PDB file of all heavy atoms in Angstrom:
ATOM      1  N   GLY U   1      -7.901  16.384  -0.687  1.00 68.00           N
ATOM      2  CA  GLY U   1      -7.345  17.696  -0.958  1.00 68.00           C
ATOM      3  C   GLY U   1      -6.957  17.860  -2.418  1.00 68.00           C
ATOM      4  O   GLY U   1      -7.223  17.010  -3.272  1.00 68.00           O
ATOM      5  N   THR U   2      -6.346  18.965  -2.705  1.00 59.00           N
ATOM      6  CA  THR U   2      -5.895  19.255  -4.065  1.00 59.00           C
ATOM      7  C   THR U   2      -4.591  18.520  -4.348  1.00 59.00           C
ATOM      8  O   THR U   2      -3.855  18.112  -3.438  1.00 59.00           O
ATOM      9  CB  THR U   2      -5.692  20.762  -4.245  1.00 59.00           C
ATOM     10  OG1 THR U   2      -4.734  21.220  -3.275  1.00 59.00           O
ATOM     11  CG2 THR U   2      -7.010  21.507  -4.048  1.00 59.00           C
ATOM     12  N   GLN U   3      -4.310  18.320  -5.619  1.00 59.00           N
ATOM     13  CA  GLN U   3      -3.091  17.690  -6.103  1.00 59.00           C
ATOM     14  C   GLN U   3      -2.894  16.285  -5.519  1.00 59.00           C
ATOM     15  O   GLN U   3      -1.782  15.851  -5.237  1.00 59.00           O
ATOM     16  CB  GLN U   3      -1.872  18.561  -5.785  1.00 59.00           C
ATOM     17  CG  GLN U   3      -1.929  19.930  -6.445  1.00 59.00           C
ATOM     18  CD  GLN U   3      -0.740  20.789  -6.097  1.00 59.00           C
ATOM     19  OE1 GLN U   3       0.115  20.383  -5.312  1.00 59.00           O
ATOM     20  NE2 GLN U   3      -0.662  21.977  -6.695  1.00 59.00           N
ATOM     21  N   GLY U   4      -4.011  15.584  -5.307  1.00 62.00           N
ATOM     22  CA  GLY U   4      -3.946  14.197  -4.875  1.00 62.00           C
ATOM     23  C   GLY U   4      -3.673  13.974  -3.416  1.00 62.00           C
ATOM     24  O   GLY U   4      -3.454  12.827  -3.000  1.00 62.00           O
ATOM     25  N   ALA U   5      -3.676  15.028  -2.593  1.00 75.00           N
ATOM     26  CA  ALA U   5      -3.430  14.870  -1.154  1.00 75.00           C
ATOM     27  C   ALA U   5      -4.699  14.360  -0.479  1.00 75.00           C
ATOM     28  O   ALA U   5      -5.777  14.940  -0.640  1.00 75.00           O
ATOM     29  CB  ALA U   5      -2.996  16.186  -0.540  1.00 75.00           C
ATOM     30  N   ILE U   6      -4.569  13.287   0.275  1.00 82.00           N
ATOM     31  CA  ILE U   6      -5.713  12.665   0.950  1.00 82.00           C
ATOM     32  C   ILE U   6      -5.344  12.438   2.410  1.00 82.00           C
ATOM     33  O   ILE U   6      -4.280  11.887   2.713  1.00 82.00           O
ATOM     34  CB  ILE U   6      -6.100  11.323   0.298  1.00 82.00           C
ATOM     35  CG1 ILE U   6      -6.425  11.515  -1.192  1.00 82.00           C
ATOM     36  CG2 ILE U   6      -7.298  10.704   1.013  1.00 82.00           C
ATOM     37  CD1 ILE U   6      -6.718  10.223  -1.924  1.00 82.00           C
ATOM     38  N   ALA U   7      -6.222  12.873   3.297  1.00 83.00           N
ATOM     39  CA  ALA U   7      -6.036  12.633   4.724  1.00 83.00           C
ATOM     40  C   ALA U   7      -6.609  11.254   5.051  1.00 83.00           C
ATOM     41  O   ALA U   7      -7.786  11.119   5.408  1.00 83.00           O
ATOM     42  CB  ALA U   7      -6.691  13.730   5.543  1.00 83.00           C
ATOM     43  N   TYR U   8      -5.784  10.224   4.924  1.00 87.00           N
ATOM     44  CA  TYR U   8      -6.272   8.851   5.049  1.00 87.00           C
ATOM     45  C   TYR U   8      -6.804   8.566   6.443  1.00 87.00           C
ATOM     46  O   TYR U   8      -7.843   7.908   6.610  1.00 87.00           O
ATOM     47  CB  TYR U   8      -5.151   7.870   4.707  1.00 87.00           C
ATOM     48  CG  TYR U   8      -4.765   7.873   3.256  1.00 87.00           C
ATOM     49  CD1 TYR U   8      -3.567   8.445   2.840  1.00 87.00           C
ATOM     50  CD2 TYR U   8      -5.589   7.295   2.291  1.00 87.00           C
ATOM     51  CE1 TYR U   8      -3.200   8.452   1.503  1.00 87.00           C
ATOM     52  CE2 TYR U   8      -5.231   7.299   0.953  1.00 87.00           C
ATOM     53  CZ  TYR U   8      -4.038   7.876   0.563  1.00 87.00           C
ATOM     54  OH  TYR U   8      -3.686   7.889  -0.760  1.00 87.00           O
ATOM     55  N   GLY U   9      -6.125   9.020   7.459  1.00 88.00           N
ATOM     56  CA  GLY U   9      -6.574   8.737   8.821  1.00 88.00           C
ATOM     57  C   GLY U   9      -7.909   9.391   9.131  1.00 88.00           C
ATOM     58  O   GLY U   9      -8.811   8.757   9.700  1.00 88.00           O
ATOM     59  N   GLN U  10      -8.058  10.668   8.764  1.00 88.00           N
ATOM     60  CA  GLN U  10      -9.329  11.353   8.996  1.00 88.00           C
ATOM     61  C   GLN U  10     -10.444  10.774   8.129  1.00 88.00           C
ATOM     62  O   GLN U  10     -11.595  10.677   8.565  1.00 88.00           O
ATOM     63  CB  GLN U  10      -9.159  12.843   8.718  1.00 88.00           C
ATOM     64  CG  GLN U  10      -8.144  13.527   9.610  1.00 88.00           C
ATOM     65  CD  GLN U  10      -7.976  14.989   9.270  1.00 88.00           C
ATOM     66  OE1 GLN U  10      -8.788  15.578   8.566  1.00 88.00           O
ATOM     67  NE2 GLN U  10      -6.894  15.588   9.781  1.00 88.00           N
ATOM     68  N   LEU U  11     -10.113  10.377   6.916  1.00 89.00           N
ATOM     69  CA  LEU U  11     -11.102   9.745   6.048  1.00 89.00           C
ATOM     70  C   LEU U  11     -11.602   8.427   6.648  1.00 89.00           C
ATOM     71  O   LEU U  11     -12.801   8.145   6.636  1.00 89.00           O
ATOM     72  CB  LEU U  11     -10.492   9.490   4.666  1.00 89.00           C
ATOM     73  CG  LEU U  11     -11.356   8.746   3.647  1.00 89.00           C
ATOM     74  CD1 LEU U  11     -12.616   9.551   3.327  1.00 89.00           C
ATOM     75  CD2 LEU U  11     -10.562   8.468   2.380  1.00 89.00           C
ATOM     76  N   ALA U  12     -10.698   7.627   7.196  1.00 90.00           N
ATOM     77  CA  ALA U  12     -11.099   6.360   7.814  1.00 90.00           C
ATOM     78  C   ALA U  12     -11.922   6.601   9.075  1.00 90.00           C
ATOM     79  O   ALA U  12     -12.919   5.908   9.320  1.00 90.00           O
ATOM     80  CB  ALA U  12      -9.857   5.528   8.130  1.00 90.00           C
ATOM     81  N   ALA U  13     -11.526   7.578   9.890  1.00 91.00           N
ATOM     82  CA  ALA U  13     -12.290   7.875  11.100  1.00 91.00           C
ATOM     83  C   ALA U  13     -13.693   8.372  10.757  1.00 91.00           C
ATOM     84  O   ALA U  13     -14.681   7.986  11.397  1.00 91.00           O
ATOM     85  CB  ALA U  13     -11.542   8.912  11.941  1.00 91.00           C
ATOM     86  N   PHE U  14     -13.795   9.232   9.752  1.00 91.00           N
ATOM     87  CA  PHE U  14     -15.108   9.709   9.326  1.00 91.00           C
ATOM     88  C   PHE U  14     -15.948   8.566   8.771  1.00 91.00           C
ATOM     89  O   PHE U  14     -17.174   8.535   8.963  1.00 91.00           O
ATOM     90  CB  PHE U  14     -14.945  10.810   8.280  1.00 91.00           C
ATOM     91  CG  PHE U  14     -16.237  11.440   7.856  1.00 91.00           C
ATOM     92  CD1 PHE U  14     -16.802  12.473   8.591  1.00 91.00           C
ATOM     93  CD2 PHE U  14     -16.899  11.003   6.720  1.00 91.00           C
ATOM     94  CE1 PHE U  14     -17.996  13.058   8.213  1.00 91.00           C
ATOM     95  CE2 PHE U  14     -18.092  11.575   6.329  1.00 91.00           C
ATOM     96  CZ  PHE U  14     -18.645  12.604   7.077  1.00 91.00           C
ATOM     97  N   SER U  15     -15.326   7.617   8.091  1.00 90.00           N
ATOM     98  CA  SER U  15     -16.065   6.477   7.539  1.00 90.00           C
ATOM     99  C   SER U  15     -16.637   5.603   8.648  1.00 90.00           C
ATOM    100  O   SER U  15     -17.753   5.085   8.520  1.00 90.00           O
ATOM    101  CB  SER U  15     -15.145   5.653   6.635  1.00 90.00           C
ATOM    102  OG  SER U  15     -14.651   6.431   5.564  1.00 90.00           O
ATOM    103  N   VAL U  16     -15.886   5.441   9.735  1.00 91.00           N
ATOM    104  CA  VAL U  16     -16.405   4.663  10.866  1.00 91.00           C
ATOM    105  C   VAL U  16     -17.623   5.346  11.463  1.00 91.00           C
ATOM    106  O   VAL U  16     -18.654   4.709  11.747  1.00 91.00           O
ATOM    107  CB  VAL U  16     -15.303   4.466  11.920  1.00 91.00           C
ATOM    108  CG1 VAL U  16     -15.873   3.824  13.181  1.00 91.00           C
ATOM    109  CG2 VAL U  16     -14.173   3.611  11.363  1.00 91.00           C
ATOM    110  N   LEU U  17     -17.543   6.661  11.654  1.00 91.00           N
ATOM    111  CA  LEU U  17     -18.689   7.401  12.189  1.00 91.00           C
ATOM    112  C   LEU U  17     -19.850   7.419  11.207  1.00 91.00           C
ATOM    113  O   LEU U  17     -21.019   7.399  11.610  1.00 91.00           O
ATOM    114  CB  LEU U  17     -18.264   8.839  12.514  1.00 91.00           C
ATOM    115  CG  LEU U  17     -17.166   8.985  13.576  1.00 91.00           C
ATOM    116  CD1 LEU U  17     -16.739  10.445  13.698  1.00 91.00           C
ATOM    117  CD2 LEU U  17     -17.648   8.455  14.924  1.00 91.00           C
ATOM    118  N   TYR U  18     -19.532   7.418   9.914  1.00 92.00           N
ATOM    119  CA  TYR U  18     -20.564   7.452   8.880  1.00 92.00           C
ATOM    120  C   TYR U  18     -21.345   6.144   8.818  1.00 92.00           C
ATOM    121  O   TYR U  18     -22.551   6.144   8.515  1.00 92.00           O
ATOM    122  CB  TYR U  18     -19.894   7.750   7.541  1.00 92.00           C
ATOM    123  CG  TYR U  18     -20.808   7.767   6.348  1.00 92.00           C
ATOM    124  CD1 TYR U  18     -21.850   8.679   6.251  1.00 92.00           C
ATOM    125  CD2 TYR U  18     -20.622   6.876   5.295  1.00 92.00           C
ATOM    126  CE1 TYR U  18     -22.685   8.711   5.154  1.00 92.00           C
ATOM    127  CE2 TYR U  18     -21.448   6.896   4.191  1.00 92.00           C
ATOM    128  CZ  TYR U  18     -22.476   7.815   4.135  1.00 92.00           C
ATOM    129  OH  TYR U  18     -23.314   7.827   3.041  1.00 92.00           O
ATOM    130  N   ALA U  19     -20.689   5.024   9.109  1.00 90.00           N
ATOM    131  CA  ALA U  19     -21.358   3.720   9.042  1.00 90.00           C
ATOM    132  C   ALA U  19     -22.090   3.363  10.319  1.00 90.00           C
ATOM    133  O   ALA U  19     -22.954   2.470  10.301  1.00 90.00           O
ATOM    134  CB  ALA U  19     -20.338   2.629   8.726  1.00 90.00           C
ATOM    135  N   THR U  20     -21.801   4.032  11.420  1.00 90.00           N
ATOM    136  CA  THR U  20     -22.406   3.665  12.703  1.00 90.00           C
ATOM    137  C   THR U  20     -23.924   3.842  12.733  1.00 90.00           C
ATOM    138  O   THR U  20     -24.635   2.954  13.218  1.00 90.00           O
ATOM    139  CB  THR U  20     -21.749   4.467  13.834  1.00 90.00           C
ATOM    140  OG1 THR U  20     -20.342   4.199  13.842  1.00 90.00           O
ATOM    141  CG2 THR U  20     -22.341   4.087  15.181  1.00 90.00           C
ATOM    142  N   PRO U  21     -24.512   4.958  12.245  1.00 89.00           N
ATOM    143  CA  PRO U  21     -25.976   5.087  12.307  1.00 89.00           C
ATOM    144  C   PRO U  21     -26.724   4.002  11.544  1.00 89.00           C
ATOM    145  O   PRO U  21     -27.800   3.568  11.978  1.00 89.00           O
ATOM    146  CB  PRO U  21     -26.230   6.484  11.711  1.00 89.00           C
ATOM    147  CG  PRO U  21     -24.962   7.226  11.921  1.00 89.00           C
ATOM    148  CD  PRO U  21     -23.886   6.213  11.770  1.00 89.00           C
ATOM    149  N   VAL U  22     -26.196   3.554  10.419  1.00 88.00           N
ATOM    150  CA  VAL U  22     -26.877   2.513   9.654  1.00 88.00           C
ATOM    151  C   VAL U  22     -26.883   1.199  10.423  1.00 88.00           C
ATOM    152  O   VAL U  22     -27.903   0.492  10.471  1.00 88.00           O
ATOM    153  CB  VAL U  22     -26.215   2.347   8.276  1.00 88.00           C
ATOM    154  CG1 VAL U  22     -26.878   1.238   7.487  1.00 88.00           C
ATOM    155  CG2 VAL U  22     -26.272   3.646   7.498  1.00 88.00           C
ATOM    156  N   LEU U  23     -25.760   0.857  11.040  1.00 88.00           N
ATOM    157  CA  LEU U  23     -25.717  -0.370  11.843  1.00 88.00           C
ATOM    158  C   LEU U  23     -26.659  -0.279  13.033  1.00 88.00           C
ATOM    159  O   LEU U  23     -27.356  -1.245  13.366  1.00 88.00           O
ATOM    160  CB  LEU U  23     -24.283  -0.619  12.311  1.00 88.00           C
ATOM    161  CG  LEU U  23     -23.240  -0.871  11.218  1.00 88.00           C
ATOM    162  CD1 LEU U  23     -21.860  -1.039  11.832  1.00 88.00           C
ATOM    163  CD2 LEU U  23     -23.601  -2.095  10.394  1.00 88.00           C
ATOM    164  N   ALA U  24     -26.691   0.882  13.683  1.00 88.00           N
ATOM    165  CA  ALA U  24     -27.592   1.052  14.815  1.00 88.00           C
ATOM    166  C   ALA U  24     -29.047   0.953  14.385  1.00 88.00           C
ATOM    167  O   ALA U  24     -29.877   0.341  15.072  1.00 88.00           O
ATOM    168  CB  ALA U  24     -27.326   2.400  15.498  1.00 88.00           C
ATOM    169  N   LEU U  25     -29.377   1.549  13.231  1.00 86.00           N
ATOM    170  CA  LEU U  25     -30.752   1.465  12.729  1.00 86.00           C
ATOM    171  C   LEU U  25     -31.146   0.034  12.425  1.00 86.00           C
ATOM    172  O   LEU U  25     -32.257  -0.400  12.744  1.00 86.00           O
ATOM    173  CB  LEU U  25     -30.892   2.327  11.471  1.00 86.00           C
ATOM    174  CG  LEU U  25     -32.232   2.214  10.745  1.00 86.00           C
ATOM    175  CD1 LEU U  25     -33.347   2.839  11.575  1.00 86.00           C
ATOM    176  CD2 LEU U  25     -32.170   2.866   9.376  1.00 86.00           C
ATOM    177  N   TYR U  26     -30.246  -0.728  11.833  1.00 83.00           N
ATOM    178  CA  TYR U  26     -30.546  -2.124  11.518  1.00 83.00           C
ATOM    179  C   TYR U  26     -30.843  -2.910  12.785  1.00 83.00           C
ATOM    180  O   TYR U  26     -31.800  -3.701  12.845  1.00 83.00           O
ATOM    181  CB  TYR U  26     -29.379  -2.740  10.759  1.00 83.00           C
ATOM    182  CG  TYR U  26     -29.569  -4.206  10.458  1.00 83.00           C
ATOM    183  CD1 TYR U  26     -30.390  -4.617   9.410  1.00 83.00           C
ATOM    184  CD2 TYR U  26     -28.947  -5.184  11.227  1.00 83.00           C
ATOM    185  CE1 TYR U  26     -30.573  -5.965   9.144  1.00 83.00           C
ATOM    186  CE2 TYR U  26     -29.130  -6.524  10.970  1.00 83.00           C
ATOM    187  CZ  TYR U  26     -29.942  -6.907   9.915  1.00 83.00           C
ATOM    188  OH  TYR U  26     -30.127  -8.239   9.657  1.00 83.00           O
ATOM    189  N   LEU U  27     -30.049  -2.708  13.827  1.00 84.00           N
ATOM    190  CA  LEU U  27     -30.270  -3.442  15.069  1.00 84.00           C
ATOM    191  C   LEU U  27     -31.583  -3.036  15.733  1.00 84.00           C
ATOM    192  O   LEU U  27     -32.324  -3.886  16.231  1.00 84.00           O
ATOM    193  CB  LEU U  27     -29.094  -3.198  16.020  1.00 84.00           C
ATOM    194  CG  LEU U  27     -27.734  -3.740  15.563  1.00 84.00           C
ATOM    195  CD1 LEU U  27     -26.645  -3.360  16.562  1.00 84.00           C
ATOM    196  CD2 LEU U  27     -27.771  -5.245  15.363  1.00 84.00           C
TER     197      LEU U  27
END
């Protein structure tokens, strides 16, 4: 967000979903 505001929990959850397709493709 603006002024340094970061939604850490949502960012981490999105990162988990973002990494899942690559792991599935590798397998």
Side-chain angles (χ1 to χ4, degrees):
T2 58
Q3 299 179 357
I6 302 176
Y8 291 107
Q10 299 178 15
L11 176 62
F14 184 84
S15 300
V16 172
L17 298 174
Y18 178 62
T20 302
V22 178
L23 297 177
L25 173 69
Y26 177 78
L27 295 177

